[in-house]
Amino acid sequence: QSQMQVIDTANKLVELDFYNKVILNIRDEFNKNDFDIVIVSDPPDNPFEPILKTSNKKVVFSFSDELNRLPTYADDKDVLVVFKCYAPSTPHPKLCPIPLPYKAGFKPQLVDFARRKNSLFFSGHPNGESRKELQKVCETIKFDNSLIGFTEGFGLGYKMDEYAAILGNSKYAICPRGNNMETFRHIEAAMSGCIIISNHQQAHWYNQQVPFFHVNDWTELPAIFEFLEANKSVAEGISKDTLNYYQKYLSLEAVSNVCIKTIRYELSRK
């Protein structure tokens, strides 16, 4: 049997802290020569030289394409399936959307919900219209016991362990979209048992039955905040629902299972 190869053309992506573990689970599940795994970043029309060098079928993991494009190589006869973060909303028979994971180095630090110090928490760069609107609301209205800050650029906020500690000690996480509807904040806040307040999301499998508060615009934030502060037992219940949602849809086990089932189905069709 030839060895299954993992061909990483992307190199050192923050997503791979999580998805390398998913790939290990996939490798444990299949025969060594069923297919190769290729990791790519950004271009949807990559000429894919490394893919063409092996005769095996390919399972592709695609990251970083924030324009949500359909990869042209999805139609290649040797590609079994493409697992894609930032997937397009239009379905394709060989494309399976996958969620953005936590960023490399993120480790949740949960405080019991009722004892959390901060109410609302957000720290980030106000890129995109939605975040600029959020910034305006937060500059106009004071939210008690909350930690809300806007930085001058991407990645200029807290260090990762500091960020995880504050998130785990906050009740409500503001998770606005940036340049894309997807955000790393969703999984990080869900792992931390925060109540998530977010823009609407695409209708992918992992966005089903989300216990989030979705806003049409950020002027709705004060009313949501007032409701949660006035209904503490309801808020505790939503926090538990969020942790359950994480386990069911975003955890390593959940994402690995979807990938394994999808590959098994594609192999059965060949």
Side-chain angles (χ1 to χ4, degrees), residues 61-80:
F61 279 84
S62 168
F63 302 106
S64 309
D65 172 30
E66 290 191 43
L67 297 177
N68 298 82
R69 295 168 290 193
L70 175 67
T72 54
Y73 52 80
D75 291 317
D76 190 296
K77 64 179 174 54
D78 284 336
V79 172
L80 275 174

PDB file of all heavy atoms in Angstrom, residues 61-80:
ATOM      1  N   PHE A  61      -8.340  20.692   1.585  1.00  0.00           N
ATOM      2  CA  PHE A  61      -8.754  21.639   2.621  1.00  0.00           C
ATOM      3  C   PHE A  61      -8.335  23.029   2.153  1.00  0.00           C
ATOM      4  O   PHE A  61      -7.155  23.280   1.916  1.00  0.00           O
ATOM      5  CB  PHE A  61      -8.098  21.317   3.965  1.00  0.00           C
ATOM      6  CG  PHE A  61      -8.783  20.215   4.709  1.00  0.00           C
ATOM      7  CD1 PHE A  61      -8.497  18.889   4.434  1.00  0.00           C
ATOM      8  CD2 PHE A  61      -9.738  20.496   5.677  1.00  0.00           C
ATOM      9  CE1 PHE A  61      -9.140  17.859   5.110  1.00  0.00           C
ATOM     10  CE2 PHE A  61     -10.393  19.481   6.361  1.00  0.00           C
ATOM     11  CZ  PHE A  61     -10.091  18.155   6.075  1.00  0.00           C
ATOM     12  N   SER A  62      -9.313  23.923   2.002  1.00  0.00           N
ATOM     13  CA  SER A  62      -9.055  25.258   1.468  1.00  0.00           C
ATOM     14  C   SER A  62      -9.331  26.319   2.542  1.00  0.00           C
ATOM     15  O   SER A  62     -10.400  26.336   3.150  1.00  0.00           O
ATOM     16  CB  SER A  62      -9.964  25.499   0.255  1.00  0.00           C
ATOM     17  OG  SER A  62      -9.942  26.857  -0.113  1.00  0.00           O
ATOM     18  N   PHE A  63      -8.351  27.217   2.748  1.00  0.00           N
ATOM     19  CA  PHE A  63      -8.449  28.250   3.769  1.00  0.00           C
ATOM     20  C   PHE A  63      -8.182  29.641   3.174  1.00  0.00           C
ATOM     21  O   PHE A  63      -7.613  29.766   2.096  1.00  0.00           O
ATOM     22  CB  PHE A  63      -7.430  27.995   4.885  1.00  0.00           C
ATOM     23  CG  PHE A  63      -7.581  26.650   5.548  1.00  0.00           C
ATOM     24  CD1 PHE A  63      -6.681  25.630   5.299  1.00  0.00           C
ATOM     25  CD2 PHE A  63      -8.643  26.397   6.402  1.00  0.00           C
ATOM     26  CE1 PHE A  63      -6.818  24.381   5.897  1.00  0.00           C
ATOM     27  CE2 PHE A  63      -8.796  25.154   7.007  1.00  0.00           C
ATOM     28  CZ  PHE A  63      -7.884  24.145   6.756  1.00  0.00           C
ATOM     29  N   SER A  64      -8.599  30.660   3.908  1.00  0.00           N
ATOM     30  CA  SER A  64      -8.171  32.060   3.696  1.00  0.00           C
ATOM     31  C   SER A  64      -8.791  32.796   2.515  1.00  0.00           C
ATOM     32  O   SER A  64      -8.426  33.926   2.256  1.00  0.00           O
ATOM     33  CB  SER A  64      -6.633  32.161   3.546  1.00  0.00           C
ATOM     34  OG  SER A  64      -5.991  31.505   4.601  1.00  0.00           O
ATOM     35  N   ASP A  65      -9.710  32.166   1.780  1.00  0.00           N
ATOM     36  CA  ASP A  65     -10.324  32.855   0.646  1.00  0.00           C
ATOM     37  C   ASP A  65     -11.552  33.624   1.130  1.00  0.00           C
ATOM     38  O   ASP A  65     -12.678  33.134   1.055  1.00  0.00           O
ATOM     39  CB  ASP A  65     -10.708  31.858  -0.450  1.00  0.00           C
ATOM     40  CG  ASP A  65     -11.526  32.511  -1.559  1.00  0.00           C
ATOM     41  OD1 ASP A  65     -11.329  33.721  -1.793  1.00  0.00           O
ATOM     42  OD2 ASP A  65     -12.374  31.833  -2.158  1.00  0.00           O
ATOM     43  N   GLU A  66     -11.322  34.851   1.626  1.00  0.00           N
ATOM     44  CA  GLU A  66     -12.418  35.619   2.227  1.00  0.00           C
ATOM     45  C   GLU A  66     -13.411  36.160   1.200  1.00  0.00           C
ATOM     46  O   GLU A  66     -14.385  36.809   1.560  1.00  0.00           O
ATOM     47  CB  GLU A  66     -11.848  36.768   3.072  1.00  0.00           C
ATOM     48  CG  GLU A  66     -11.155  36.268   4.328  1.00  0.00           C
ATOM     49  CD  GLU A  66     -10.823  37.395   5.289  1.00  0.00           C
ATOM     50  OE1 GLU A  66     -11.670  38.278   5.498  1.00  0.00           O
ATOM     51  OE2 GLU A  66      -9.709  37.378   5.844  1.00  0.00           O
ATOM     52  N   LEU A  67     -13.175  35.880  -0.080  1.00  0.00           N
ATOM     53  CA  LEU A  67     -14.128  36.292  -1.120  1.00  0.00           C
ATOM     54  C   LEU A  67     -15.169  35.198  -1.399  1.00  0.00           C
ATOM     55  O   LEU A  67     -16.006  35.344  -2.293  1.00  0.00           O
ATOM     56  CB  LEU A  67     -13.384  36.663  -2.403  1.00  0.00           C
ATOM     57  CG  LEU A  67     -12.438  37.865  -2.271  1.00  0.00           C
ATOM     58  CD1 LEU A  67     -11.692  38.102  -3.571  1.00  0.00           C
ATOM     59  CD2 LEU A  67     -13.200  39.120  -1.863  1.00  0.00           C
ATOM     60  N   ASN A  68     -15.108  34.103  -0.649  1.00  0.00           N
ATOM     61  CA  ASN A  68     -16.116  33.025  -0.737  1.00  0.00           C
ATOM     62  C   ASN A  68     -16.287  32.488  -2.161  1.00  0.00           C
ATOM     63  O   ASN A  68     -17.392  32.257  -2.624  1.00  0.00           O
ATOM     64  CB  ASN A  68     -17.490  33.519  -0.238  1.00  0.00           C
ATOM     65  CG  ASN A  68     -17.459  33.944   1.213  1.00  0.00           C
ATOM     66  OD1 ASN A  68     -17.060  35.058   1.529  1.00  0.00           O
ATOM     67  ND2 ASN A  68     -17.862  33.072   2.102  1.00  0.00           N
ATOM     68  N   ARG A  69     -15.174  32.275  -2.855  1.00  0.00           N
ATOM     69  CA  ARG A  69     -15.265  31.817  -4.238  1.00  0.00           C
ATOM     70  C   ARG A  69     -15.364  30.296  -4.322  1.00  0.00           C
ATOM     71  O   ARG A  69     -14.894  29.582  -3.436  1.00  0.00           O
ATOM     72  CB  ARG A  69     -14.034  32.299  -5.020  1.00  0.00           C
ATOM     73  CG  ARG A  69     -13.979  33.815  -5.151  1.00  0.00           C
ATOM     74  CD  ARG A  69     -12.645  34.309  -5.663  1.00  0.00           C
ATOM     75  NE  ARG A  69     -11.584  34.132  -4.676  1.00  0.00           N
ATOM     76  CZ  ARG A  69     -10.382  34.694  -4.767  1.00  0.00           C
ATOM     77  NH1 ARG A  69     -10.099  35.464  -5.803  1.00  0.00           N
ATOM     78  NH2 ARG A  69      -9.460  34.488  -3.839  1.00  0.00           N
ATOM     79  N   LEU A  70     -15.966  29.821  -5.393  1.00  0.00           N
ATOM     80  CA  LEU A  70     -16.018  28.387  -5.667  1.00  0.00           C
ATOM     81  C   LEU A  70     -14.704  28.003  -6.349  1.00  0.00           C
ATOM     82  O   LEU A  70     -14.376  28.544  -7.406  1.00  0.00           O
ATOM     83  CB  LEU A  70     -17.195  28.068  -6.588  1.00  0.00           C
ATOM     84  CG  LEU A  70     -17.295  26.609  -7.042  1.00  0.00           C
ATOM     85  CD1 LEU A  70     -17.622  25.698  -5.860  1.00  0.00           C
ATOM     86  CD2 LEU A  70     -18.348  26.454  -8.131  1.00  0.00           C
ATOM     87  N   PRO A  71     -13.941  27.067  -5.774  1.00  0.00           N
ATOM     88  CA  PRO A  71     -12.662  26.705  -6.403  1.00  0.00           C
ATOM     89  C   PRO A  71     -12.900  25.995  -7.744  1.00  0.00           C
ATOM     90  O   PRO A  71     -13.724  25.088  -7.825  1.00  0.00           O
ATOM     91  CB  PRO A  71     -12.024  25.745  -5.391  1.00  0.00           C
ATOM     92  CG  PRO A  71     -12.801  25.891  -4.130  1.00  0.00           C
ATOM     93  CD  PRO A  71     -14.165  26.350  -4.515  1.00  0.00           C
ATOM     94  N   THR A  72     -12.155  26.394  -8.753  1.00  0.00           N
ATOM     95  CA  THR A  72     -12.308  25.762 -10.068  1.00  0.00           C
ATOM     96  C   THR A  72     -11.913  24.287 -10.012  1.00  0.00           C
ATOM     97  O   THR A  72     -12.467  23.464 -10.736  1.00  0.00           O
ATOM     98  CB  THR A  72     -11.429  26.481 -11.111  1.00  0.00           C
ATOM     99  OG1 THR A  72     -10.094  26.520 -10.619  1.00  0.00           O
ATOM    100  CG2 THR A  72     -11.902  27.905 -11.346  1.00  0.00           C
ATOM    101  N   TYR A  73     -10.959  23.957  -9.121  1.00  0.00           N
ATOM    102  CA  TYR A  73     -10.478  22.570  -9.047  1.00  0.00           C
ATOM    103  C   TYR A  73     -11.502  21.613  -8.435  1.00  0.00           C
ATOM    104  O   TYR A  73     -11.296  20.405  -8.452  1.00  0.00           O
ATOM    105  CB  TYR A  73      -9.148  22.498  -8.289  1.00  0.00           C
ATOM    106  CG  TYR A  73      -9.171  23.184  -6.939  1.00  0.00           C
ATOM    107  CD1 TYR A  73      -9.719  22.566  -5.823  1.00  0.00           C
ATOM    108  CD2 TYR A  73      -8.634  24.459  -6.780  1.00  0.00           C
ATOM    109  CE1 TYR A  73      -9.745  23.196  -4.592  1.00  0.00           C
ATOM    110  CE2 TYR A  73      -8.656  25.098  -5.556  1.00  0.00           C
ATOM    111  CZ  TYR A  73      -9.206  24.458  -4.471  1.00  0.00           C
ATOM    112  OH  TYR A  73      -9.241  25.085  -3.256  1.00  0.00           O
ATOM    113  N   ALA A  74     -12.598  22.142  -7.908  1.00  0.00           N
ATOM    114  CA  ALA A  74     -13.649  21.250  -7.381  1.00  0.00           C
ATOM    115  C   ALA A  74     -14.176  20.328  -8.469  1.00  0.00           C
ATOM    116  O   ALA A  74     -14.649  19.219  -8.187  1.00  0.00           O
ATOM    117  CB  ALA A  74     -14.792  22.066  -6.792  1.00  0.00           C
ATOM    118  N   ASP A  75     -14.089  20.757  -9.719  1.00  0.00           N
ATOM    119  CA  ASP A  75     -14.580  19.935 -10.825  1.00  0.00           C
ATOM    120  C   ASP A  75     -13.544  18.952 -11.358  1.00  0.00           C
ATOM    121  O   ASP A  75     -13.842  18.162 -12.253  1.00  0.00           O
ATOM    122  CB  ASP A  75     -15.037  20.845 -11.984  1.00  0.00           C
ATOM    123  CG  ASP A  75     -16.298  21.616 -11.613  1.00  0.00           C
ATOM    124  OD1 ASP A  75     -17.211  21.016 -11.018  1.00  0.00           O
ATOM    125  OD2 ASP A  75     -16.356  22.835 -11.903  1.00  0.00           O
ATOM    126  N   ASP A  76     -12.330  18.988 -10.822  1.00  0.00           N
ATOM    127  CA  ASP A  76     -11.291  18.065 -11.282  1.00  0.00           C
ATOM    128  C   ASP A  76     -11.702  16.627 -10.959  1.00  0.00           C
ATOM    129  O   ASP A  76     -12.170  16.337  -9.858  1.00  0.00           O
ATOM    130  CB  ASP A  76      -9.970  18.411 -10.572  1.00  0.00           C
ATOM    131  CG  ASP A  76      -8.783  17.667 -11.159  1.00  0.00           C
ATOM    132  OD1 ASP A  76      -8.772  16.426 -11.066  1.00  0.00           O
ATOM    133  OD2 ASP A  76      -7.875  18.326 -11.704  1.00  0.00           O
ATOM    134  N   LYS A  77     -11.507  15.731 -11.907  1.00  0.00           N
ATOM    135  CA  LYS A  77     -11.965  14.333 -11.718  1.00  0.00           C
ATOM    136  C   LYS A  77     -11.223  13.638 -10.571  1.00  0.00           C
ATOM    137  O   LYS A  77     -11.728  12.693  -9.986  1.00  0.00           O
ATOM    138  CB  LYS A  77     -11.813  13.531 -13.011  1.00  0.00           C
ATOM    139  CG  LYS A  77     -10.390  13.349 -13.492  1.00  0.00           C
ATOM    140  CD  LYS A  77     -10.343  12.525 -14.772  1.00  0.00           C
ATOM    141  CE  LYS A  77      -8.941  12.442 -15.354  1.00  0.00           C
ATOM    142  NZ  LYS A  77      -7.922  11.958 -14.421  1.00  0.00           N
ATOM    143  N   ASP A  78     -10.008  14.097 -10.250  1.00  0.00           N
ATOM    144  CA  ASP A  78      -9.246  13.461  -9.171  1.00  0.00           C
ATOM    145  C   ASP A  78      -9.542  14.044  -7.793  1.00  0.00           C
ATOM    146  O   ASP A  78      -9.030  13.560  -6.788  1.00  0.00           O
ATOM    147  CB  ASP A  78      -7.740  13.585  -9.447  1.00  0.00           C
ATOM    148  CG  ASP A  78      -7.290  12.613 -10.525  1.00  0.00           C
ATOM    149  OD1 ASP A  78      -7.975  11.597 -10.722  1.00  0.00           O
ATOM    150  OD2 ASP A  78      -6.264  12.885 -11.177  1.00  0.00           O
ATOM    151  N   VAL A  79     -10.342  15.105  -7.733  1.00  0.00           N
ATOM    152  CA  VAL A  79     -10.698  15.704  -6.435  1.00  0.00           C
ATOM    153  C   VAL A  79     -11.978  15.046  -5.918  1.00  0.00           C
ATOM    154  O   VAL A  79     -13.026  15.123  -6.554  1.00  0.00           O
ATOM    155  CB  VAL A  79     -10.867  17.234  -6.562  1.00  0.00           C
ATOM    156  CG1 VAL A  79     -11.430  17.819  -5.269  1.00  0.00           C
ATOM    157  CG2 VAL A  79      -9.528  17.898  -6.891  1.00  0.00           C
ATOM    158  N   LEU A  80     -11.858  14.392  -4.776  1.00  0.00           N
ATOM    159  CA  LEU A  80     -13.032  13.740  -4.154  1.00  0.00           C
ATOM    160  C   LEU A  80     -13.966  14.775  -3.551  1.00  0.00           C
ATOM    161  O   LEU A  80     -15.174  14.742  -3.751  1.00  0.00           O
ATOM    162  CB  LEU A  80     -12.571  12.806  -3.028  1.00  0.00           C
ATOM    163  CG  LEU A  80     -12.143  11.389  -3.357  1.00  0.00           C
ATOM    164  CD1 LEU A  80     -11.599  10.730  -2.096  1.00  0.00           C
ATOM    165  CD2 LEU A  80     -13.297  10.572  -3.917  1.00  0.00           C
TER     166      LEU A  80
END
